[in-house]
Amino acid sequence: MSPSRKRVDCNRTSLRQRAVALAIVIFSLCASAASVAQPGTVLRLGNPGEPQTLDPHRYNLRLEETLLTDLFIGLTTFAADGSTIPGVASSWQVSDDGLRWTFNLRPDLTWSDGQPLTADDFVFAYQRLQAPATAASLAYFMYPLKNAAAVNAGKMPVEALGVSAPDSRTLILELEQPYPHLLERLLYPTAYPLPKHAIETHGDSWVKAENWVSNGAYRLQEWRPQAYVHLVANAHFNPAPAITEVFYYPLANEQTAYNRYRAGEVDAIATFPSGELDYARRELTADLRTSVQLSIMYLVFNSRVEPFSDARVREALAMMMQPEVLTDKVQRSGNVASRSFVPAMVSDYQSVPGPQYQLDLAERLSRGKALLAEAGFSPDRPLEITLRYISGAEAKRTALTIAAFWKPLGVKTQLHQAELKVHFADLRQGDFQVAQAGWIGENNAEHYLSLLVSDTGDVNYGGFADDQFDAMMASARQEADLDERNRLLRVADERAVGLYPVVPMYSLGVRRLVNPKLRGWNNTPRDVHPVRFLSLEP
Amino acid sequence: MTRYLSIRLLLTLITFWVIVTAVFFLLRLAPGGPFDGERRLPPEVEQNLRAAYNLDQPLPRQYLNYLLMLGHGDLGPSFKQKDFSVAELVISGLPVSLTVGVMALVMALTGGIVLGTWAGLNTGTKTDLLIMGTANIGLAVPAIVVAPLLALIFAVWLGWLPAGGTGGPLHFLLPATALSLPFIAAIARLTRGSVAETLQEPHITTAMSKGLPRQRIIRRHVLPIALLPVLSYTGPAAAALLTGSVVVEQIFELPGIGRYFVQAALNRDYTLVMGVVIVYAAFILLFNLLVDVCYARLDPRIRLRS
């Protein structure tokens, strides 16, 4: 054998050896990837994006609320069916005037580091939330507390806030005016207790995993930016949850979320492309969970500017709206048509549909034409509108459909799209004519109707102002009795819908895919699914 | 050479400063701010936020503050990722982006050179037509189309590879492939042309007429010359691959810095956008500098001209 031939053979052998070694490495990688999780105890969930913070006073997004619901428990908390139940408070009393709420905390409360949790931690948290230095963007969630707005504006010291702890197990909240929905408001992370000892020791870096302390069923184990947030069961939480570890993956891209779910990499995803809904209805029946979220998507008219300051013009345009056509024929993504501004699913409240729907479509068309003619518009001088919408395929189709609804009136609609930030920045400045807007709210009518009160601020995007409606809302807000308050709110609601400051369109549909082996997963109005109620069948 | 180097270095630093300044002011010109969202912010809250991030100061002052901070090697706090500093986010994301970039570069060079050489040695045949046809498609179809297709085929239908996220080297395979395809195509085209041209050179004809083995001619005489244009393409290609995974990272949900780029821009997270731009700019400028230096070493005319 010549030397060169021998060298070639050596090379071949080493190549083969390398190939075998490479195959072993790849297979062991596959094996290690598959054996990371023990089935039944580890849950892998898709969250629709990366959280921006886990500090309950700095959070701003619903996807952060999802995580915080697992990490903390407030005075009240969500039950498995989404209703409000006592959390760390075992009972409470309300004074007759509805202004003073006394909460009795459960005995033996502890933080995840074993330190006792006392009423002082609530006082500390509520004062921190309103302190201007915290710069909490959702501080106003707790403005029902006495002096909260003034403290937040730096006009009063934090000690003036209506919160006190006469002893370690009693918390007293004093309110600015009666607020019967307080128990629901306490569900938000802005009302959680915070670990005073940990924040005083670590300052702003108390949110780092190594310093983390919380009182919910889980605590923060690790957060790898854009990769995952890893929670583990809090050993001091009672009862111990069935799921011991949770990985929340930020799956901002709906298609990727869908791919990863179908590849079996996650147990549940928050949403997926609407185009796949028909397929999921046919092929993924055991996995598909659709529900409606407490929310209202609507069109808002800029009532400050001509011609939308004229109620006749607003009414004419509202006449032609067909929410059912929009959701069932055009969008087909699970959204549910709404004829009322307060969503029909709000409990203890009879929602008020727009009066235009008492007429049939032909009557609405002739009434709409008559109204526009009265307002001075004609085929020679048609109404020209710029309709603003948020960039996106579904929003565009929605806007095109609305333009088509208005066409029979002789209205010329121009579409103007902008990304979400720009859209809402312009809306708040009143820089629009007609625009798509939305509100994901609470389970009470007031939360929605407040958007139309003249002193609400820039979130009353259209600058709608009606003295009579304002007075009706003010008198409802003075009422501590919930039934009477709702009755007064309904009177105000009836006044507002007749003036057409907005046109309700639909409530958001939720489409999720959930591993059929995941037990305890319920559809809930606020679309919350605390992991402590879930378990995974092996 | 020293003079040439110092001039190049100075120009690079000036370019860097221009980029930082332009991006700083362009960001502030964009409508909307970091604290705009669909939820209401009362004026006092917005004021608190603006004060906390020094946004209540006049713009020139903010700019000087930023430059000062940068001078100290501090990229500042992220406006939106409130629990992390920009430096922490970059440190966490950069290794991921670099891994994908380096893998893609290796794939691009290997795939491109092998295919290009093969086509170049068989010009005018069906093989050549097939390879170049595929390469043209590879060049024309963007990653935003190829990447979801790869995920659908290899992750959802076949179940061979993960559809996204991290967890091991396998997670990088699809993203790196998607990222490298246009570069494989580009390098293949470059190599093919160059190989075909070199084959016409008199010294190759001589080598062939002397009866040297074909393999040896290709390896010893054709490729070293034919690969020179590929080498000069590698500099910019490396910079593009290491910083170009923005789309691929979005589609495969990879925790690299490319994802911050898009999200931070949409969120008006001024400091984070600046941080990512600085990293990208540093890479691109560095690779350009390296290429310049290499050229200067190889070609004395460039040195002398400067």
Side-chain angles (χ1 to χ4, degrees):
Chain A
M1 192 181 277
S2 71
S4 69
R5 169 57 63 99
K6 196 177 173 189
R7 198 176 71 228
V8 168
D9 280 347
C10 281
N11 278 348
R12 273 190 191 150
T13 319
S14 77
L15 262 180
R16 204 177 296 138
Q17 280 171 349
R18 276 183 214 159
V20 171
L22 188 70
I24 291 173
V25 168
I26 289 177
F27 277 114
S28 61
L29 286 171
C30 291
S32 69
S35 65
V36 170
Q38 282 176 9
T41 54
V42 180
L43 190 62
R44 302 154 306 161
L45 296 174
N47 217 9
E50 171 81 346
Q52 294 177 347
T53 177
L54 290 177
D55 185 329
H57 290 170
R58 295 198 163 144
Y59 96 98
N60 207 27
L61 303 172
R62 280 197 36 93
L63 63 95
E64 292 155 358
E65 256 172 40
T66 307
L67 282 151
L68 290 168
T69 307
D70 289 329
L71 290 165
F72 289 90
I73 290 224
L75 293 165
T76 55
T77 187
F78 290 108
D81 65 359
S83 60
T84 309
I85 54 169
V88 298
S90 54
S91 62
W92 48 81
Q93 299 86 41
V94 193
S95 64
D96 289 341
D97 59 5
L99 292 177
R100 187 183 163 94
W101 294 62
T102 309
F103 291 88
N104 309 305
L105 305 191
R106 292 178 197 282
D108 307 325
L109 290 171
T110 53
W111 291 102
S112 56
D113 61 352
Q115 294 285 319
L117 187 163
T118 67
D120 263 343
D121 290 315
F122 278 96
V123 176
F124 168 78
Y126 292 8
Q127 289 180 348
R128 179 180 184 262
L129 176 72
Q130 301 301 345
T134 310
S137 63
L138 299 180
Y140 68 96
F141 276 18
M142 293 299 275
Y143 277 5
L145 288 185
K146 193 174 175 190
N147 298 333
V151 171
N152 195 226
K155 291 175 188 148
M156 279 187 171
V158 286
E159 291 76 22
L161 189 69
V163 57
S164 55
D167 62 66
S168 67
R169 283 185 48 205
T170 311
L171 183 73
I172 296 175
L173 301 184
E174 288 177 83
L175 307 190
E176 198 72 50
Q177 47 183 352
Y179 191 67
H181 313 296
L182 185 69
L183 295 176
E184 192 191 356
R185 187 54 66 86
L186 295 177
L187 292 169
Y188 286 101
T190 41
Y192 290 157
L194 287 191
K196 186 181 178 187
H197 60 285
I199 296 176
E200 282 176 351
T201 310
H202 301 293
D204 277 349
S205 55
W206 77 276
V207 287
K208 299 281 179 197
E210 61 270 24
N211 306 328
W212 182 265
V213 177
S214 58
N215 75 325
Y218 298 88
R219 63 178 172 78
L220 178 64
Q221 175 71 20
E222 189 196 1
W223 179 355
R224 251 196 91 193
Q226 301 282 0
Y228 54 79
V229 183
H230 181 195
L231 312 184
V232 296
N234 168 6
H236 296 273
F237 186 82
N238 208 1
I243 305 275
T244 53
E245 285 182 63
V246 196
F247 284 89
Y248 275 102
Y249 297 101
L251 304 181
N253 184 318
E254 289 188 355
Q255 186 63 48
T256 309
Y258 184 64
N259 288 348
R260 292 194 70 183
Y261 180 82
R262 291 195 60 200
E265 293 168 26
V266 284
D267 293 307
I269 51 173
T271 187
F272 59 90
S274 60
E276 302 287 347
L277 188 58
D278 285 338
Y279 175 84
R281 280 189 176 131
R282 279 197 319 272
E283 307 290 336
L284 302 170
T285 42
D287 311 61
L288 179 65
R289 306 291 184 100
T290 55
S291 61
V292 190
Q293 195 177 357
L294 260 172
S295 55
I296 188 71
M297 300 293 124
Y298 58 96
L299 278 188
V300 56
F301 298 113
N302 192 346
S303 307
R304 305 175 197 91
V305 299
E306 292 278 341
F308 306 98
S309 49
D310 186 339
R312 290 173 300 190
V313 173
R314 303 197 297 260
E315 185 178 349
L317 295 170
M319 280 292 153
M320 302 312 292
M321 193 56 73
Q322 301 169 58
E324 292 79 7
V325 172
L326 209 54
T327 54
D328 304 344
K329 297 279 192 300
V330 178
Q331 296 175 334
R332 297 163 54 85
S333 57
N335 294 332
V336 173
S338 178
R339 293 179 165 203
S340 59
F341 189 52
V342 178
M345 62 194 297
V346 167
S347 45
D348 307 324
Y349 189 79
Q350 179 78 39
S351 58
V352 184
Q356 72 268 41
Y357 299 113
Q358 291 164 4
L359 308 174
D360 67 33
L361 199 58
E363 291 169 328
R364 275 151 56 189
L365 177 60
S366 56
R367 171 137 178 89
K369 279 182 172 166
L371 283 165
L372 279 188
E374 273 177 47
F377 294 100
S378 62
D380 301 331
R381 184 179 171 256
L383 174 58
E384 290 179 18
I385 295 179
T386 303
L387 172 62
R388 296 198 51 152
Y389 67 97
I390 305 163
S391 307
E394 184 172 290
K396 184 175 187 178
R397 272 185 292 144
T398 305
L400 282 168
T401 312
I402 294 166
F405 287 158
W406 288 340
K407 209 169 176 209
L409 290 175
V411 174
K412 287 188 176 167
T413 310
Q414 222 183 0
L415 300 185
H416 177 118
Q417 67 156 337
E419 52 146 316
L420 184 123
K421 283 252 150 190
V422 179
H423 182 86
F424 282 102
D426 285 350
L427 254 61
R428 266 198 297 273
Q429 286 169 11
D431 185 12
F432 70 101
Q433 286 192 320
V434 187
Q436 292 178 351
W439 198 249
I440 297 173
E442 293 182 1
N443 195 8
N444 66 76
E446 191 174 345
H447 198 70
Y448 302 87
L449 293 173
S450 298
L451 296 177
L452 303 176
V453 176
S454 65
D455 65 356
T456 290
D458 49 17
V459 79
N460 175 357
Y461 303 119
F464 177 70
D466 178 60
D467 293 341
Q468 214 175 325
F469 173 74
D470 284 356
M472 288 166 167
M473 287 296 289
S475 76
R477 282 170 169 172
Q478 291 299 324
E479 182 55 57
D481 178 70
L482 192 57
D483 289 341
E484 179 58 13
R485 192 170 169 121
N486 275 335
R487 193 190 66 76
L488 291 170
L489 284 173
R490 197 162 191 280
V491 174
D493 197 350
E494 277 164 358
R495 167 81 191 163
V497 295
L499 295 170
Y500 302 96
V502 293
V503 191
M505 297 192 290
Y506 55 91
S507 292
L508 289 172
V510 179
R511 46 178 192 278
R512 287 176 176 271
L513 291 174
V514 179
N515 183 347
K517 288 183 176 166
L518 194 57
R519 297 284 157 208
W521 186 286
N522 301 312
N523 283 345
T524 60
R526 298 258 289 252
D527 196 31
V528 288
H529 310 277
V531 174
R532 65 178 186 277
F533 299 124
L534 305 177
S535 60
L536 205 52
E537 274 180 13
Chain B
M1 188 72 183
T2 323
R3 194 181 125 79
Y4 173 76
L5 254 182
S6 33
I7 292 174
R8 292 300 311 163
L9 204 64
L10 187 71
L11 281 175
T12 303
L13 284 176
I14 293 174
T15 315
F16 186 70
W17 170 75
V18 170
I19 292 172
V20 169
T21 308
V23 174
F24 183 92
F25 287 103
L26 280 175
L27 269 174
R28 261 81 177 171
L29 279 179
F35 310 120
D36 290 327
E38 58 271 60
R39 277 174 168 164
R40 168 179 77 138
L41 281 191
E44 54 267 33
V45 171
E46 181 142 8
Q47 182 49 40
N48 293 341
L49 277 167
R50 297 183 74 82
Y53 289 98
N54 293 326
L55 286 179
D56 52 346
Q57 295 174 353
L59 202 54
R61 182 72 184 275
Q62 289 181 36
Y63 172 65
L64 283 180
N65 281 346
Y66 188 80
L67 284 191
L68 267 176
M69 211 167 64
L70 209 56
H72 288 95
D74 186 0
L75 295 173
S78 165
F79 282 31
K80 284 288 167 178
Q81 300 300 125
K82 295 165 210 161
D83 298 358
F84 297 93
S85 69
V86 171
E88 282 175 320
L89 292 172
V90 168
I91 289 168
S92 143
L94 198 55
V96 176
S97 298
L98 290 187
T99 309
V100 176
V102 169
M103 268 180 85
L105 184 63
V106 171
M107 288 163 97
L109 284 174
T110 344
I113 290 173
V114 169
L115 289 175
T117 310
W118 195 6
L121 293 174
N122 300 290
T123 38
T125 63
K126 277 183 184 166
T127 320
D128 177 31
L129 221 63
L130 186 75
I131 294 176
M132 281 307 109
T134 321
N136 278 337
I137 295 172
L139 267 178
V141 181
I144 200 159
V145 176
V146 174
L149 216 61
L150 288 176
L152 190 69
I153 296 170
F154 292 100
V156 179
W157 289 349
L158 298 174
W160 290 353
L161 291 167
T166 48
L170 285 181
H171 285 80
F172 293 115
L173 212 52
L174 286 181
T177 309
L179 192 60
S180 67
L181 281 179
F183 290 88
I184 292 181
I187 292 174
R189 284 171 59 95
L190 212 60
T191 312
R192 176 194 174 269
S194 188
V195 164
E197 204 179 298
T198 314
L199 282 176
Q200 308 298 321
E201 297 280 331
H203 71 278
I204 303 294
T205 319
T206 313
M208 282 182 173
S209 58
K210 276 169 75 182
L212 281 177
R214 193 176 150 83
Q215 290 291 330
R216 197 182 151 91
I217 295 174
I218 293 164
R219 244 183 296 151
R220 293 279 299 269
H221 300 289
V222 177
L223 283 184
I225 295 169
L227 288 185
L228 275 178
V230 175
L231 210 64
S232 52
Y233 175 76
T234 306
L241 281 169
L242 295 179
T243 60
S245 49
V246 175
V247 171
V248 166
E249 282 177 22
Q250 296 278 340
I251 290 167
F252 290 100
E253 302 279 359
L254 274 181
I257 55 171
R259 275 174 85 185
Y260 295 132
F261 201 37
V262 178
Q263 278 169 22
L266 289 176
N267 283 332
R268 306 285 185 274
D269 190 340
Y270 297 147
T271 42
L272 188 50
V273 175
M274 292 298 298
V276 178
V277 166
I278 283 168
V279 172
Y280 278 179
F283 265 104
I284 292 169
L285 291 175
L286 185 75
F287 275 98
N288 281 337
L289 189 67
L290 280 177
V291 170
D292 283 350
V293 171
C294 288
Y295 280 175
R297 270 201 78 86
L298 291 173
D299 188 346
R301 283 173 303 180
I302 296 173
R303 291 205 294 274
L304 293 173
R305 251 206 317 268
S306 73

